[in-house]
Amino acid sequence: LLTAGFPCQSWSETGEQGGFADPRGVLFWEITRVLHARKPAGFLLENVPALAKIGEGAALDMILKELTAAGYTTRHRIVNARPLLPQRRLRLYLAGFRNAQAAEQFCWPAWCEDADVDALERESSPGEGRPTEASKGWPNVTEILEPMLSLGTKDGVARYENYCLTPQQWTNICDQELRNVLKPHAICRRLVNPKGAARTLIGSYKNGFNRHTQFVTPDE
């Protein structure tokens, strides 16, 4: 079984979506090179959902054709990982099989359908989870957070302070949200619902806190 995730920067909605014109995008061909050379029984590939939309699906069509040429029948689906962890992480998965009959018998996990519903829902009331996650008993943010005291101290300073925003940082975030013309006064979207899930965590989560990061209040 070959598992791989080729660079998402070439396809992500937060990037320039250069696709195969981006040097990182062509690393997909390294996957097909390995498939041709080693011929594993199957593969599982992962990338961002936007890959399926670029060029009205032309990029995904090209990828599927190349995987077919390598000798595989491929199934693809956007999967929301919410049932498994308190994070709404939607990703495009491609599952490939050298045996066409195995591909026909393949089924995505049953919880994918519930996760699709969850991705479209909203919290029914403040501080409560979305209807589907609440009814299914999926893990929430509170259940995975470590108590602040358990982090101990370093050089006489409580370790959790390293993860706290300064008053100025929080002021900057509030000012940014107030200037958001698409979602004015939506500072609440920057706070994690402790009974629910966080938005997708990204590699630049700490550096990009002004745009993407969600926060937990000390009381939680």
Side-chain angles (χ1 to χ4, degrees):
L1 175 68
L2 171 69
T3 61
F6 46 110
C8 68
Q9 294 90 338
S10 308
W11 319 98
S12 175
E13 291 179 341
T14 61
E16 298 180 358
Q17 295 190 319
F20 290 118
D22 184 327
R24 294 166 295 188
V26 299
L27 287 176
F28 166 74
W29 307 120
E30 290 299 296
I31 293 175
T32 59
R33 181 181 64 81
V34 173
L35 291 175
H36 279 286
R38 305 303 298 178
K39 297 179 172 58
F43 63 77
L44 181 65
L45 309 181
E46 176 264 356
N47 213 290
V48 291
L51 172 58
K53 303 176 183 178
I54 292 180
E56 298 182 349
L60 179 58
D61 286 344
M62 179 181 293
I63 287 173
L64 293 174
K65 289 178 181 177
E66 291 298 323
L67 295 173
T68 298
Y72 293 84
T73 301
T74 305
R75 301 285 181 263
H76 66 279
R77 192 189 204 286
I78 293 175
V79 175
N80 175 12
R82 176 62 189 97
L84 306 180
L85 71 167
Q87 176 187 169
R88 288 191 175 85
R89 187 177 186 85
L90 279 69
R91 288 295 182 268
L92 174 67
Y93 287 89
L94 300 98
F97 306 83
R98 286 197 70 81
N99 185 317
Q101 184 176 1
E104 292 178 1
Q105 296 173 345
F106 172 76
C107 294
W108 296 98
W111 50 257
C112 287
E113 300 294 335
D114 292 328
D116 289 343
V117 175
D118 169 83
L120 299 175
E121 292 177 337
R122 294 292 181 269
E123 283 78 10
S124 56
S125 60
E128 298 296 329
R130 297 184 182 184
T132 298
E133 67 184 351
S135 66
K136 297 294 181 180
W138 294 340
N140 61 48
V141 170
T142 298
E143 295 171 350
I144 67 165
L145 289 178
E146 296 180 0
M148 286 186 175
L149 294 179
S150 73
L151 298 178
T153 61
K154 182 178 181 180
D155 299 328
V157 178
R159 289 182 61 192
Y160 72 81
E161 291 184 0
N162 295 333
Y163 305 97
C164 292
L165 295 176
T166 66
Q168 185 59 53
Q169 286 175 323
W170 182 244
T171 297
N172 293 343
I173 290 170
C174 291
D175 289 344
Q176 181 190 57
E177 292 302 322
L178 289 173
R179 295 193 301 270
N180 189 335
V181 296
L182 297 179
K183 296 181 179 180
H185 312 297
I187 190 62
C188 60
R189 79 185 184 92
R190 303 303 297 275
L191 299 176
V192 171
N193 178 354
K195 298 299 183 182
R199 294 204 306 266
T200 300
L201 304 183
I202 58 176
S204 58
Y205 210 60
K206 184 176 181 180
N207 295 333
F209 73 85
N210 275 332
R211 295 178 296 165
H212 303 292
T213 310
Q214 287 187 298
F215 306 97
V216 177
T217 65
D219 293 338
E220 294 161 357

